[in-house]
Amino acid sequence: MSIEDLDSEQAYVSALYDRLDALRRRASTRLRGVLLRSESLPRARFEREVASADCAATLARLRAAEIGLCFGRLDFDGGERRYVGRMGIFDDDADYEPLLIDWRTPAARPFYAATGAERLGVRRRRHIATRQRAVTGVEDDIFEMADSPGPDAPGSHVGADGDSPDRATPLTGEPGLFATLNAARTGRMSDIVATIQAEQDRIIRSDQRGVLVVQGGPGTGKTAVALHRAAYLLYTHREKLARSGVLVLGPHPAFLRYIENVLPSLGETSVVSATVDALYPGVTARRLEDAATAELKGRAALAEILAATVRHRQRLPQGHTLEIHTEERLLLLERSTCERARALARESGELHNDARPLFVRAVIEALARQVADGYAAETITAAVLEADPEALDLLAPAGSGGSSLLDDEDLAQLRRELRGDPAVRTVLDELWPALTPEQLVAELFADPGTLAAVAPQLSAQQRQLLHRPLAEDDTDGNDWLRELRAVTDGDAGSGGGADLEPDNDRDADGQAGGEDSGVPARPRPVGGWSAADIPLLDEAAELIGDDDQAAKAAALRERVARVAYAQGVLDILSRDIEDDPEIMMAVDLIDAGRLAERHEDADPRTIAQRALADRTWVFGHVVVDEAQELSEMAWRMVMRRCPTRSMTIVGDVAQTSDPAGTTSWDRVLAPYPAAGTPARWETLTVNYRTPAEIMAVAVDVLATLSPPQEPPRSVRTVGHHPWRLRVADEDLGPQVARSVVRELERLTIRTRDVAPTAPDAASASASKAGGAGASASGGTGGAGGAGGAGRMAVLVPTSRLAEVTAAVRTVVPEVDAGPRARLTAAVVVLGVREAKGLEFDTVLVVDPDAVLAESPRGAHDLYVALTRATHHLGVLHTGDIPPMLARLVPRAG
Ligand SMILES: Nc1ncnc2c1ncn2[C@@H]1O[C@H](COP(=O)(O)OP(=O)(O)OP(=O)(O)O)[C@@H](O)[C@H]1O
């Protein structure tokens, strides 16, 4: 790299930043202008909202491009030169000549894909490293020599910490890549846009259509690739995807926090990220399920069992005839009538709740006819007794049904009376109840009799696993229900209640029958719902039809608030002139309800808020990360969210922890044959995270797993070996604390050495976290303080989480712990499963024997735990070291 090179690149990059500043100024001015527009008409207000959202998104994109705006240059055979960066910038003064090409455009592809063997017309590829706005280095790949790799061409590399163990791996942009890989971790993943490798680029740019499955061992960049693919697809198909949204599913909340910066740093804010159990609105999964029950609930057989449960709830009277004792009369409901009504409703093809009105109508019709016939018989008898000659004329109509004695209005009134009659309603609710998903599932689990009837394919022992009594209160996860009751009871002011009459039981006259005007039941099992229950609730909702009561409650709440506000406005306008009858007041012209309507604005929620509040939302593309963890039932739920099957599924079947998860992608996809584009498969083979020394230990664990998997190849070594230390059980806590202190010391020394020299993406991640240098030199008690770079994890069997957290807290009071860890502190204690998808500079695995024993997939959990470290790994064990960890080097206490 010559000084001239640096100077000329600095001049170019500075000009790009000047242009970026100008674009930002322009966007801010536009946004300010839009926000200051005061609009009175709803339509104009709506347009203002859209325009301001658009301006804000542009501004966010421009801001996101600040770090590493330009990171590459391509020189082509014909002399053309292209600069590649985070966004496209064009020259307004020179016919919109591109000054910088967005990394997602086809024109930028050679930057990632050109190799010595296939150079795509590229003569030179230049990697430009920057810190803030200063160019700190350039590295060239020269492809000049015919079509074969030259001496400087990609194909050989040396890791910054040591030699590469695998010289055959073709890598590009090695200095920048290794600086990134060696940099201290910050608790948040960074984007890799400047150093995407060719095999990753191919996956990122793969066709949007159809299912793409990416299998890869730990650290092979699956998450990074999946997120960059989301950004690529949003860029390429923005019109289509921005409206429907892209959903990114991750395994646990800490993982979502870990990845939360990646897409915004790429300028994308319209992605919805969630765990699978957040896809069912209105219910929060809080209860932990035991492994055997979770595995059982994850099986596809549960879908059949739920369908059978719905049919089971569509009942017939026990005997030939059911007596219904109303206040006025005795009604006789024939079993055959119910059979006909049930067949009619079932054959309609409607879902259970939607078919209910058909059943109800048929039964009510039969009962109404019976009552009308009764009237006729009574009338004739009375007439005959009084020897009225005209009575004879009544015989014929009476024989063909007494309804002709009643006109249409009388009949409609009769049907309404019957529908409203408590005794009739009780019978109808018994025969074909209106159900909520919660009711269907909770009542199924609570009733061993129903379980036996609908799940003959399960053993008695399995049915016992599913059995769970009903909770007695309804306070958990049913917050909306209480609000709805408050509103319908009139507690929340005027305007409540009117919309809540369900219209699904309207009779032929279009009148609401009113028999279901109460709020539907939402029971739950004792202890609440578990994550394994969520796909079952979603399945139940699919079978019985949607229950929109929660949405109605929210809409009603908003309307009540708007009306109350409007009333307040009218009161103020009228206050001082109330007594003068000559003056026309605002209330004379408009009431609060209509005034409120005029101020109904467009839905101000983000796409993420709207999508996650709507169970039936359909996404344009779905990314499933750690996809091996999903059960068959969870896949059914996820697939429903993406009927086009435009999906990216990334995972590693060797890392499956969930007892209901998969060890075969074929098995996952078998129930979903491709309608159009067939599923595609890719494999990632290079491990960017785990150094070779640690991977050698993990490979021995991998060898014990089935089905056998090819281990990924590590791209770097770190020059020191992972260690183990045997500890007496009673000394485990204090020893963990001592080890944490010791490892923190090492971490501090390393981050001081490495982080400040990291250019490019490394400095990007460091500056996002407040500066690596600041953390290394200024951290409290070494790297123990929060913020800054350098992260350590203590990974434990779940049973030891509390004990080990308490021990670590004695030396690092601000330690982060458990499933909801924020990953902001330098040290975090996690159960092995909660570490899935994460990475740390240093990892301490505690009690591997217990990890192995704790779950049928214990060896998978151990494999995950061992592969989380980017530099240091230590294992503390209380008994003999498990043979699969024999490669660890013993350390003296
Ligand atoms: N091309 C790249 N340039 C720079 N860093 C990369 C690149 N590819 C992957 N990485 C880094 O490697 C690490 C591992 O990547 P990632 O977490 O995506 O792997 P993974 O396959 O999802 O791992 P796991 O299955 O263990 O969760 C991350 O720090 C990521 O940023």
Side-chain angles (χ1 to χ4, degrees):
M1 155 177 87
S2 70
I3 294 292
E4 290 80 45
D5 279 340
L6 270 186
D7 286 348
S8 74
E9 297 303 5
Q10 181 65 66
Y12 197 88
V13 167
S14 297
L16 288 175
Y17 275 109
D18 288 346
R19 201 64 206 102
L20 181 67
D21 289 340
L23 289 170
R24 278 185 192 158
R25 277 194 299 275
R26 195 187 297 170
S28 302
T29 310
R30 219 183 121 223
L31 179 59
R32 212 170 306 126
V34 169
L35 290 176
L36 287 176
R37 254 172 24 210
S38 81
E39 308 286 4
S40 53
L41 294 176
R43 169 101 204 139
R45 268 206 315 278
F46 176 71
E47 281 165 8
R48 183 190 62 193
E49 293 306 317
V50 171
S52 67
D54 191 46
C55 289
T58 305
L59 208 50
R61 260 196 284 282
L62 294 170
R63 288 200 178 121
E66 173 69 29
I67 298 167
L69 173 65
C70 171
F71 50 79
R73 188 182 103 182
L74 292 167
D75 295 349
F76 288 87
D77 289 341
E80 187 196 349
R81 178 171 291 181
R82 291 178 201 161
Y83 280 87
V84 181
R86 289 177 173 271
M87 60 174 287
I89 294 185
F90 300 89
D91 189 348
D92 285 355
D93 303 328
D95 224 5
Y96 287 94
E97 270 296 301
L99 299 172
L100 185 66
I101 290 171
D102 191 297
W103 66 276
R104 291 162 281 203
T105 58
R109 203 185 138 244
F111 183 75
Y112 302 108
T115 62
E118 200 181 340
R119 59 191 187 88
L120 307 174
V122 177
R123 194 167 51 78
R124 177 208 308 263
R125 169 174 45 214
R126 172 164 287 182
H127 301 272
I128 300 172
T130 52
R131 184 173 311 142
Q132 268 96 46
R133 295 185 168 197
V135 174
T136 56
V138 296
E139 279 294 328
D140 287 345
D141 299 329
I142 307 291
F143 298 103
E144 261 174 338
M145 294 177 57
D147 265 356
S148 63
D152 293 335
S156 62
H157 56 267
V158 178
D161 279 5
D163 262 346
S164 159
D166 179 2
R167 291 180 167 271
T169 308
L171 295 174
T172 57
E174 288 166 27
L177 174 66
F178 280 99
T180 307
L181 300 181
N182 287 319
R185 291 323 192 231
T186 64
R188 293 294 179 273
M189 192 178 200
S190 298
D191 70 69
I192 59 164
V193 67
T195 53
I196 293 170
Q197 300 299 303
E199 69 168 3
Q200 300 175 322
D201 181 68
R202 199 181 59 244
I203 296 170
I204 290 168
R205 289 173 201 265
S206 176
D207 195 340
Q208 179 222 358
R209 286 165 298 181
V211 174
L212 174 65
V213 180
V214 184
Q215 158 69 36
T220 52
K222 297 182 297 297
T223 300
V225 165
L227 295 176
H228 286 72
R229 178 163 163 73
Y232 168 80
L233 293 176
L234 275 162
Y235 178 87
T236 314
H237 307 279
R238 186 162 312 278
E239 271 296 293
K240 200 158 52 166
L241 294 181
R243 247 176 299 121
S244 51
V246 171
L247 172 67
V248 174
L249 288 172
H252 49 76
F255 176 85
L256 298 183
R257 270 194 289 281
Y258 170 62
I259 64 167
E260 72 190 0
N261 287 347
V262 177
L263 283 159
S265 77
L266 297 172
E268 294 302 346
T269 48
S270 58
V271 171
V272 181
S273 53
T275 52
V276 173
D277 59 20
L279 290 185
Y280 186 86
V283 170
T284 307
R286 294 208 173 89
R287 186 169 55 82
L288 278 180
E289 197 82 81
D290 68 85
T293 312
E295 188 276 321
L296 182 60
K297 287 183 175 177
R299 293 188 195 175
L302 263 288
E304 292 161 27
I305 291 169
L306 288 171
T309 309
V310 173
R311 284 195 299 279
H312 185 76
R313 300 297 298 258
Q314 299 163 357
R315 299 193 179 123
L316 295 173
Q318 298 251 302
H320 276 303
T321 310
L322 182 72
E323 293 187 356
I324 306 176
H325 296 270
T326 72
E327 282 207 351
E328 290 85 32
R329 56 183 79 85
L330 169 68
L331 296 169
L332 300 176
L333 181 58
E334 303 292 330
R335 184 183 165 92
S336 60
T337 302
C338 296
E339 262 167 354
R340 273 196 304 280
R342 188 172 76 168
L344 183 91
R346 282 182 175 174
E347 282 160 18
S348 71
E350 300 282 353
L351 302 176
H352 173 89
N353 282 346
D354 300 333
R356 184 172 191 265
L358 297 174
F359 177 83
V360 169
R361 194 176 303 161
V363 171
I364 292 288
E365 197 57 48
L367 293 177
R369 211 176 313 122
Q370 192 182 109
V371 174
D373 286 350
Y375 282 153
E378 282 166 21
T379 309
I380 291 164
T381 310
V384 168
L385 283 177
E386 288 177 30
D388 183 346
E390 284 180 35
L392 292 176
D393 298 340
L394 297 173
L395 279 172
S400 62
S403 52
S404 62
L405 282 181
L406 306 175
D407 62 20
D408 285 351
E409 207 170 302
D410 292 337
L411 274 172
Q413 176 60 28
L414 177 56
R415 282 194 291 262
R416 272 197 296 277
E417 275 172 21
L418 287 170
R419 280 168 180 275
D421 188 283
V424 176
R425 284 171 56 167
T426 304
V427 167
L428 287 170
D429 283 347
E430 185 62 28
L431 297 177
W432 193 298
L435 292 168
T436 60
E438 287 83 345
Q439 190 182 1
L440 187 86
V441 178
E443 289 177 359
L444 167 67
F445 291 163
D447 181 8
T450 306
L451 270 170
V454 300
Q457 64 271 59
L458 301 185
S459 66
Q461 201 185 0
Q462 288 173 320
R463 291 200 293 269
Q464 185 54 38
L465 285 177
L466 295 180
H467 174 60
R468 197 162 191 90
L470 290 178
E472 298 207 334
D473 62 284
D474 65 358
T475 52
D476 184 27
N478 282 338
D479 293 347
W480 66 271
L481 185 59
R482 261 174 288 121
E483 288 176 35
L484 181 64
R485 284 195 174 129
V487 174
T488 50
D489 292 349
D491 295 356
S494 61
D499 286 354
L500 289 172
E501 285 290 300
D503 58 7
N504 58 350
D505 278 339
R506 285 176 192 279
D507 66 18
D509 310 293
Q511 300 290 319
E515 72 197 55
D516 287 322
S517 52
V519 173
R522 289 201 162 211
R524 63 188 174 89
V526 163
W529 298 102
S530 74
D533 289 326
I534 299 296
L536 308 188
L537 292 172
D538 198 66
E539 187 80 25
E542 287 293 309
L543 291 166
I544 62 182
D546 255 311
D547 159 33
D548 59 354
Q549 295 291 307
K552 271 188 179 167
L556 194 60
R557 226 170 25 243
E558 266 177 42
R559 213 184 89 204
V560 168
R562 267 198 307 270
V563 171
Y565 175 77
Q567 189 60 57
V569 171
L570 291 177
D571 289 349
I572 290 168
L573 290 175
S574 311
R575 194 172 296 154
D576 299 329
I577 49 178
E578 255 170 14
D579 297 335
D580 188 343
E582 295 300 310
I583 297 177
M584 177 92 79
M585 293 194 295
V587 282
D588 297 325
L589 299 171
I590 191 164
D591 63 24
R594 291 202 2 249
L595 183 62
E597 258 168 45
R598 288 202 184 167
H599 287 83
E600 274 174 23
D601 273 328
D603 192 339
R605 293 174 302 170
T606 64
I607 200 157
Q609 288 166 329
R610 278 187 291 144
L612 290 177
D614 180 357
R615 196 193 67 77
T616 58
W617 188 275
V618 165
F619 292 91
H621 189 83
V622 173
V623 172
V624 190
D625 202 340
E626 305 291 348
Q628 72 279 356
E629 301 301 319
L630 270 61
S631 69
E632 290 171 323
M633 288 303 292
W635 278 114
R636 289 173 68 89
M637 172 161 78
V638 171
M639 291 290 183
R640 283 195 282 271
R641 303 298 191 272
C642 192
T644 60
R645 301 283 187 270
S646 172
M647 300 176 87
T648 306
I649 295 175
V650 304
D652 178 10
V653 289
Q655 294 185 55
T656 310
S657 293
D658 196 296
T662 193
T663 49
S664 151
W665 298 119
D666 280 331
R667 213 171 306 143
V668 165
L669 292 185
Y672 310 98
T677 316
R680 287 158 289 147
W681 310 81
E682 293 279 358
T683 306
L684 289 171
T685 54
V686 177
N687 184 344
Y688 298 93
R689 174 196 303 134
T690 326
E693 294 90 340
I694 295 179
M695 205 54 213
V697 175
V699 163
D700 290 343
V701 178
L702 180 66
T704 68
L705 304 180
S706 117
Q709 292 290 323
E710 208 35 46
R713 290 167 287 140
S714 297
V715 289
R716 55 191 190 109
T717 56
V718 283
H720 42 81
H721 288 277
W723 53 267
R724 69 179 172 88
L725 181 64
R726 184 169 182 156
V727 191
D729 201 51
E730 60 282 6
D731 192 35
L732 186 69
Q735 184 55 57
V736 169
R738 283 194 292 276
S739 298
V740 165
V741 170
R742 186 186 137 133
E743 292 301 320
L744 273 175
E745 183 65 20
R746 286 218 282 182
L747 181 62
T748 309
I749 291 166
R750 195 186 68 73
T751 51
R752 197 180 293 144
D753 287 347
V754 176
T757 60
D760 204 0
S763 67
S765 62
S767 68
K768 267 183 234 161
S775 137
S777 52
T780 57
R791 290 291 184 271
M792 173 175 175
V794 184
L795 306 184
V796 301
T798 313
S799 54
R800 290 218 188 247
L801 184 63
E803 169 198 355
V804 172
T805 305
V808 175
R809 192 158 281 139
T810 60
V811 286
V812 184
E814 61 275 45
V815 63
D816 214 1
R820 307 226 152 236
R822 305 207 60 77
L823 305 179
T824 46
V827 184
V828 60
V829 183
L830 298 171
V832 279
R833 293 208 184 156
E834 294 146 11
K836 192 158 292 245
L838 307 182
E839 66 184 24
F840 309 88
D841 302 74
T842 301
V843 169
L844 216 53
V845 176
V846 175
D847 199 356
D849 262 330
V851 172
L852 289 168
E854 204 165 58
S855 146
R857 296 202 197 270
H860 297 251
D861 291 339
L862 187 56
Y863 180 59
V864 172
L866 295 172
T867 52
R868 298 303 98 195
T870 62
H871 279 86
H872 298 282
L873 172 70
V875 175
L876 296 174
H877 57 107
T878 51
D880 291 340
I881 190 78
M884 63 178 86
L885 296 180
R887 217 182 274 265
L888 289 166
V889 178
R891 199 194 84 186

